[in-house]
């Protein structure tokens, strides 16, 4: 039974769930992911691990309610259980030997950037955090980032909190000012990661991105999560989810991500109607 | 006096134009009278060549003799001595290359319908006999099986019957492997698969789903921390192959694994399903095996008006089971044989709008013994499709070999074993099924499981001086 031990609403559309999964908690590393099914007939959805506590035997996932699957997940309360919880899948983020790293997070992607920043901090690296959100009410995990970053730059699109603008502006400024990062690790929307790479590439700063394509099984079987990286077909579930940002074909990945948009919209509407009925 | 009808008793089936719009089973199964009539076609010949064609060595004339006498329960007991999944094999084995291919009735007419009889016996038993199998007395030894597909379930069943405590670890949320995610409902109903798996549980087999071995637990931990004395790796097929032609990343290009997993495991054919699948008008399935036939027939049932099988060799070379090819043709699948895609074409929005193909002709035999297809010069043409499904085979799943030191694989990623026993390059680690052979059949995976179960039993008993 994958019981939910703790549930926290981080902002109006983003929820954190801590799930009892002792075997996974023992093995999990930053950058790996979980396949979750909320209920018996739910879709399998991949969610990157946001935190883990091997002593308590719990793993956390943080998700934004975007489709029917996450909407169903969001109906579960503390003490209830998710039907399926599989992991830790994919390769862990490679942080060994890094001493000076910029971790860039965007929106709900910050949830996954956090354990990477924490792991880097724990190994004594200097961590510069740049996190971006659309507006003040969508900001998540600020305290947690402050605790593990030597410097944290927070930006919002509308300027309602922190600096106004997007993450690439402070990133460019830092690099130009001679920050001399060993590596930039970017986790967020594809469009953000694409522009992070556009920022770092001219300076030749190695940039690792965390990809989150459509998956079905997540264990190296279906091939749905394929990406073009360096001109070759790669599978995010077993070859990633981290890849060299300079090599990733972001435009293709963005396009493939839209494959089920019309279905998702219908499914979301159906799930909404169902929930409304339950409430009535 | 045997029944000398040269033809098999026909199998009742749904009408092609009815069944190609639903996911219910195509073949409806023999009645008891039909089964007895067909069983009486068996000559009970001395050499019973059929048996040598069976990868799990079922006593075929033995069970057929019982069917001919109307003794269906006894017939079941004969099959059950050799096969853990008779209702499955009766439906999905390529009998024409195995038992039926060797039947002497096949020389002057059609062979005895061994597969149909096996299916009848298994179905009759499931519907009429409700005594639960007794778990044998435990022998005190524990074995772990990785993967709850046909090979893993066979090992689990055979070892459980010998008294072993077997735990099967399955990566997906449901046991059955390819029987659940790959083979469609209309060919192998999923409640039949689950019924066979329930039977194994009653024998004392534990099945733990959602466990990706190599990630959540390693093989070393299974030995050192969990006290297993042997491990059988049956992790099955892995990543799909693509052709490496331009346009394969366009929206609307699927691997057969993904397409079938969405349809079968995730039930995307149901109107209330949460997992989406593309609503296609015209589909090309590239490949000629059973998986290609399954994908094509699923696409038709999902409402595609036109479904092509695109295969680079001829009809005679199709590797699929004969019955699947016939069923597909009856259902309106169009076979574009001697045809090979060279490019997938996209529309302005990045969705598949067609593919460029070339015509092929058969040249000299290649190393597989089949005539090599060569391109006919100047034969390029376009096929209008909005969906492409690549059914070109798979490479074995990389998760186990990449996390288990000392477990060697060949250059294709297939685990190396000592031959029939399935012993890998690690002591007490055995392997079989697609993880060893690359994509093959359910029955070969089961055959490998049978041999490995014997070898595991022998090795454990020898270690404890019990042999």
């Amino acid at each position: 039974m994958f019981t939910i031990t703790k549930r926290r609403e981080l902002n109006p559309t983003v929820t954190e769930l801590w799930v009892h999964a002792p075997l996974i908690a023992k093995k999990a590393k930053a950058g790996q992911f979980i396949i979750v099914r909320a209920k018996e007939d739910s879709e399998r959805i991949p969610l990157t691990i946001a935190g883990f506590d091997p002593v308590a035997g719990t793993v956390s996932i943080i998700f934004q309610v975007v489709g029917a699957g996450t909407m169903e997940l969001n109906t579960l309360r503390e003490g209830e259980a998710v039907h399926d919880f599989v992991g830790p899948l994919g390769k862990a983020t490679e942080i060994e030997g890094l001493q000076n790293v910029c971790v860039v997070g965007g929106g709900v992607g910050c949830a996954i950037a956090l354990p990477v920043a924490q792991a880097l901090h724990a190994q004594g690296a200097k961590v510069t955090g740049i996190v971006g959100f659309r507006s003040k009410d969508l900001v998540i995990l600020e305290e947690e980032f402050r605790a593990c970053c030597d410097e944290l730059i927070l930006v919002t699109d509308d300027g309602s909190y922190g600096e106004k603008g997007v993450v690439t502006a402070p990133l460019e400024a830092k690099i130009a000012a001679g920050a001399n990062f060993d590596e930039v690790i970017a986790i967020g929307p594809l469009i953000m990661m694409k522009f992070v790479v556009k920022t770092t590439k001219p300076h030749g700063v190695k940039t690792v991105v965390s990809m989150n394509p459509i998956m079905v099984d997540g264990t190296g079987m279906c091939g749905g999560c394929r990406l073009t990286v360096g001109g070759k077909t790669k599978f995010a579930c077993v070859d990633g989810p981290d890849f060299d940002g300079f090599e990733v074909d972001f435009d293709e990945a963005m396009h493939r991500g839209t494959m089920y948009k019309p279905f998702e919209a219908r499914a979301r509407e159906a799930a909404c109607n169902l929930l409304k009925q339950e409430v009535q | 006096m045997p029944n000398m009808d040269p033809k098999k008793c026909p199998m009742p089936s749904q009408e092609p134009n009815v069944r190609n719009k639903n996911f219910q089973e195509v073949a409806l199964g023999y009645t008891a009278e039909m089964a007895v009539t067909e069983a009486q076609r068996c000559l009970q010949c001395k050499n019973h060549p059929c048996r040598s064609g069976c990868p799990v060595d079922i006593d075929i004339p033995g069970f057929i003799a019982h069917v001919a006498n109307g003794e269906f329960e006894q017939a079941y007991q004969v099959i059950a001595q050799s096969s853990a999944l008779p209702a499955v094999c009766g439906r999905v084995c390529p009998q024409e290359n195995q038992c039926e291919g060797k039947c002497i009735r096949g020389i002057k007419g059609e062979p005895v319908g061994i597969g149909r009889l096996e299916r009848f016996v298994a179905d009759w038993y499931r519907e009429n006999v409700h005594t639960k199998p007794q778990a044998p007395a435990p022998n005190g030894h524990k074995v772990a099986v990785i993967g709850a597909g046909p090979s893993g379930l066979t090992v689990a069943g055979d070892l459980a019957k010998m008294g072993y405590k077997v735990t099967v670890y399955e990566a997906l949320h449901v046991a059955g492997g390819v029987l659940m995610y790959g083979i469609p409902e209309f060919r192998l109903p999923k409640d039949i698969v689950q019924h066979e798996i329930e039977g194994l549980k009653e024998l004392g087999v534990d099945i733990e789903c959602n466990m990706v071995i190599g990630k959540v637990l390693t093989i070393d931990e299974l030995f050192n921390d969990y006290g297993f004395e042997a491990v059988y790796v049956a992790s099955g097929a892995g990543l799909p192959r693509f052709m490496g032609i331009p346009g394969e990343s366009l929206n609307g290009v699927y691997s057969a694994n993904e397409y079938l997993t969405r349809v079968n495991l995730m039930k995307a054919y149901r109107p209330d399903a949460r997992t989406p699948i593309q609503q296609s008008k015209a589909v090309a399935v590239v490949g000629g095996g059973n998986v290609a036939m399954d994908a094509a027939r699923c696409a038709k049932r999902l409402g595609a008006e036109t479904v092509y099988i695109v295969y680079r060799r001829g009809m005679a070379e199709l590797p699929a089971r004969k019955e699947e090819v016939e069923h597909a043709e009856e259902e309106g699948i169009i076979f574009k044989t001697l045809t090979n895609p060279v490019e997938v074409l996209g529309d302005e929005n990045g969705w598949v709008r067609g593919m460029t193909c070339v015509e092929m002709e058969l040249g000299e035999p290649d190393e597989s013994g089949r005539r090599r297809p060569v391109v006919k010069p100047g034969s390029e043409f376009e096929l209008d499709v909005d969906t492409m499904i690549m059914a070109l085979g798979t490479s074995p799943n990389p998760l186990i070999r990449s996390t288990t030191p000392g477990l060697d694989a060949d250059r294709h990623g297939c685990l190396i074993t000592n031959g029939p026993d399935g012993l890998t390059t690690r002591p007490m680690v055995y392997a079989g099924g697609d993880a060893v052979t690359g994509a093959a059949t359910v029955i070969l995976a089961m055959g490998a499981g049978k041999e490995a179960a014997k070898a595991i039993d022998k090795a454990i008993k020898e270690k404890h001086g019990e042999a």
Side-chain angles (χ1 to χ4, degrees):
Chain A
M1 283 291 277
F2 303 107
T3 308
I4 296 167
T5 59
K6 194 172 140 197
R7 177 198 153 91
R8 191 159 68 119
E9 278 167 24
L10 300 184
N11 76 28
T13 65
V14 175
T15 304
E16 176 188 56
L17 296 180
W18 281 88
V19 176
H20 186 68
L23 289 176
I24 301 174
K26 232 165 88 180
K27 288 289 167 70
K29 291 206 169 73
Q32 291 184 295
F33 69 94
I34 299 285
I35 291 271
V36 191
R37 285 208 315 161
K39 297 179 182 172
E40 195 182 353
D41 56 357
S42 300
E43 196 176 355
R44 294 170 67 94
I45 48 176
L47 290 169
T48 307
I49 292 169
F52 44 91
D53 182 342
V55 179
T58 53
V59 175
S60 82
I61 47 175
I62 295 178
F63 58 93
Q64 186 160 27
V65 179
V66 286
T70 43
M71 196 178 283
E72 270 181 328
L73 198 55
N74 202 33
T75 63
L76 299 176
R77 306 286 132 195
E78 256 175 44
E80 293 185 305
V82 293
H83 198 274
D84 301 289
F85 200 74
V86 193
L89 299 169
K91 292 181 178 164
T93 302
E94 287 174 21
I95 56 168
E96 207 182 309
L98 296 178
Q99 291 170 350
N100 179 17
V101 181
C102 182
V103 177
V104 183
V108 73
C110 291
I112 338 166
L114 179 66
V116 176
Q118 287 169 332
L120 285 162
H121 180 70
Q123 74 178 27
K126 181 183 174 204
V127 182
T128 304
I130 303 177
V131 292
F133 303 92
R134 284 213 307 276
S135 61
K136 184 180 178 183
D137 55 342
L138 298 180
V139 173
I140 57 170
L141 303 169
E142 183 184 349
E143 301 235 327
E144 288 84 347
F145 271 105
R146 292 215 183 275
C148 64
C149 293
D150 296 82
E151 182 185 3
L152 182 72
I153 302 167
L154 196 154
V155 300
T156 51
D157 291 358
D158 63 359
S160 54
Y161 193 61
E163 295 175 25
K164 181 175 162 56
V166 291
V167 293
T168 45
L171 177 62
E172 173 70 43
K174 279 277 155 198
I175 295 172
N180 208 14
F181 298 126
D182 300 337
E183 196 170 303
V184 171
I185 300 176
I187 306 167
L190 286 169
I191 188 79
M192 181 204 89
M193 296 194 285
K194 176 180 167 173
F195 280 95
V196 165
V197 167
K198 279 205 163 163
T199 307
T200 56
K201 204 170 180 177
H203 300 284
V205 182
K206 185 182 175 189
T207 303
V208 170
V209 296
S210 175
M211 303 299 284
N212 188 10
I214 293 170
M215 288 184 188
V216 187
D217 67 296
T219 63
M221 184 190 71
C222 84
C225 66
R226 64 189 189 275
L227 304 159
T228 303
V229 181
K232 293 202 175 99
T233 298
K234 295 278 177 186
F235 300 97
C237 70
V238 290
D239 298 324
D242 287 1
F243 292 99
D244 179 347
F246 292 177
E247 302 287 333
V248 172
D249 184 338
F250 286 104
D251 293 338
E252 180 190 287
M254 279 188 265
H255 183 64
R256 286 182 59 79
T258 65
M259 181 134 174
Y260 296 106
K261 273 273 162 68
F263 181 97
E264 274 296 325
R266 282 198 305 278
R268 187 187 156 96
E269 204 173 306
C272 281
N273 289 337
L274 211 62
L275 290 175
K276 272 186 214 146
Q277 279 171 17
E278 278 171 20
V279 171
Q280 287 163 1
Chain B
M1 187 54 198
N3 165 5
M4 292 312 291
D5 191 329
K7 288 198 176 280
K8 285 183 195 174
C9 175
M11 180 67 128
S13 303
Q14 283 194 71
E15 285 301 316
N17 276 319
V18 174
R19 71 184 192 232
N20 66 11
K21 295 171 191 71
N22 69 53
F23 275 81
Q24 285 145 35
E25 196 169 15
V26 167
L28 302 171
Y30 278 166
T31 61
E33 293 75 29
M34 291 174 185
V36 170
T37 307
E38 182 61 24
Q40 285 167 348
R41 292 185 64 233
C42 173
L43 301 178
Q44 295 291 325
C45 60
K46 260 193 199 142
N47 296 329
H48 41 76
C50 50
R51 198 169 169 170
S52 69
C54 177
V56 296
D57 192 31
I58 291 173
D59 177 3
I60 294 166
F63 98 78
I64 290 182
H66 284 303
V67 177
N69 292 331
E71 300 157 355
F72 304 141
E73 179 158 5
Q74 288 94 318
Y76 180 84
Q77 297 305 342
V78 171
I79 298 174
Q81 283 168 16
S82 307
S83 172
L85 310 165
V88 173
C89 296
R91 288 173 166 80
V92 305
C93 270
Q95 288 97 1
E96 72 265 24
N97 304 327
Q98 297 175 0
C99 51
E100 294 183 22
K102 308 231 165 176
C103 175
I104 61 166
R105 291 296 307 262
I107 299 169
K108 282 192 176 166
E110 289 184 354
V112 176
I114 300 169
R116 294 171 180 184
L117 290 172
E118 183 185 24
R119 168 186 165 152
F120 167 78
V121 169
D123 288 354
W124 182 90
Y125 188 85
R126 187 177 65 254
E127 285 155 15
N128 292 285
V129 181
H130 303 289
T131 49
K132 299 200 165 169
Q134 288 290 311
N139 69 6
H141 301 298
K142 286 170 68 182
V143 176
V145 173
I146 301 170
S151 200
L153 293 175
T154 299
V155 167
D158 282 10
L159 289 174
K161 285 179 198 159
M162 299 178 208
Y164 287 89
K165 185 69 207 161
V166 183
T167 304
V168 184
Y169 293 102
E170 166 58 44
L172 293 175
H173 56 260
V174 60
V178 73
L179 309 175
M180 292 303 289
Y181 76 74
I183 302 175
E185 177 78 18
F186 57 82
R187 206 148 77 76
L188 179 63
K190 300 309 149 212
D191 56 353
I192 290 177
V193 178
Q194 290 309 311
H195 185 273
E196 306 258 36
I197 292 170
E198 284 308 312
L200 292 177
K201 288 185 187 165
E202 280 156 9
L203 282 173
V205 173
D206 284 331
I207 300 184
E208 290 199 29
C209 291
N210 292 323
M211 292 289 283
V212 180
I213 301 302
K215 289 293 185 183
V216 72
L217 291 174
T218 62
I219 285 182
D220 288 296
E221 285 170 314
L222 294 177
F223 281 119
N224 301 335
D225 302 346
Y226 287 73
F228 291 107
E229 293 178 58
V231 173
Y232 183 67
V233 181
S235 49
L239 292 163
R241 294 208 180 96
F242 290 88
M243 295 188 75
I245 58 175
E248 283 184 305
S249 296
L250 290 164
N251 285 358
V253 180
Y254 286 92
S255 74
N257 268 6
E258 181 184 358
Y259 196 80
L260 291 172
T261 301
R262 285 177 182 273
V263 175
N264 301 322
L265 181 72
M266 305 310 294
K267 313 281 178 222
Y269 64 89
R270 291 188 187 161
D272 61 344
R274 305 296 166 88
T275 299
I277 190 116
Q278 196 183 336
Q279 299 296 307
S280 312
K281 283 202 176 67
V283 179
V285 180
V286 183
N290 288 320
V291 172
M293 300 304 137
D294 286 344
R297 297 171 73 195
C298 283
K300 189 79 186 175
R301 282 163 173 75
L302 287 167
E305 288 155 27
T306 316
V307 181
Y308 300 103
I309 289 277
V310 175
Y311 181 58
R312 63 198 184 117
R313 300 180 202 251
M315 286 302 283
E317 284 80 23
L318 285 168
R321 262 177 110 217
K322 202 170 134 226
E323 186 182 60
E324 307 312 324
V325 176
E326 286 167 5
H327 280 163
E329 284 185 300
E330 288 166 11
E331 289 168 14
I333 310 295
I334 301 163
F335 284 73
K336 287 262 177 203
T337 52
L338 292 169
T339 302
N340 206 28
V342 290
E343 184 177 0
V344 192
L345 305 168
D347 66 14
E348 64 282 6
N349 299 314
W351 285 76
V352 174
R353 68 162 177 86
M355 57 194 221
T356 308
C357 299
V358 287
E359 289 177 25
M360 313 292 282
E361 51 199 359
L362 293 180
E364 293 300 306
D366 62 14
E367 61 272 23
S368 75
R370 296 180 299 179
R371 292 173 66 194
R372 185 194 301 274
V374 288
V375 178
K376 252 193 222 173
S379 64
E380 267 191 24
F381 69 100
E382 275 186 25
L383 204 57
D384 289 339
V385 292
D386 57 19
T387 306
M388 255 180 100
I389 303 171
M390 299 296 193
L392 305 162
T394 56
S395 54
N397 196 295
L399 288 182
I400 303 277
R401 64 171 193 270
S402 64
T403 54
T404 310
L407 196 62
D408 293 345
D410 68 15
R411 67 193 170 88
H412 301 294
C414 299
L415 296 178
I416 294 170
T417 67
N418 72 340
D421 282 0
L423 182 64
T424 65
T425 51
R426 274 279 303 259
M428 298 312 284
V429 178
Y430 294 76
D434 284 5
V436 171
T437 56
T441 62
V442 168
I443 189 68
L444 286 176
M446 288 177 61
K450 263 199 111 47
E451 294 305 316
K454 283 185 215 156
I456 289 169
D457 175 53
K458 188 160 168 266
I460 290 180
K461 292 212 168 124
E462 274 172 7
K463 203 172 82 184
H464 292 274
E466 293 167 17

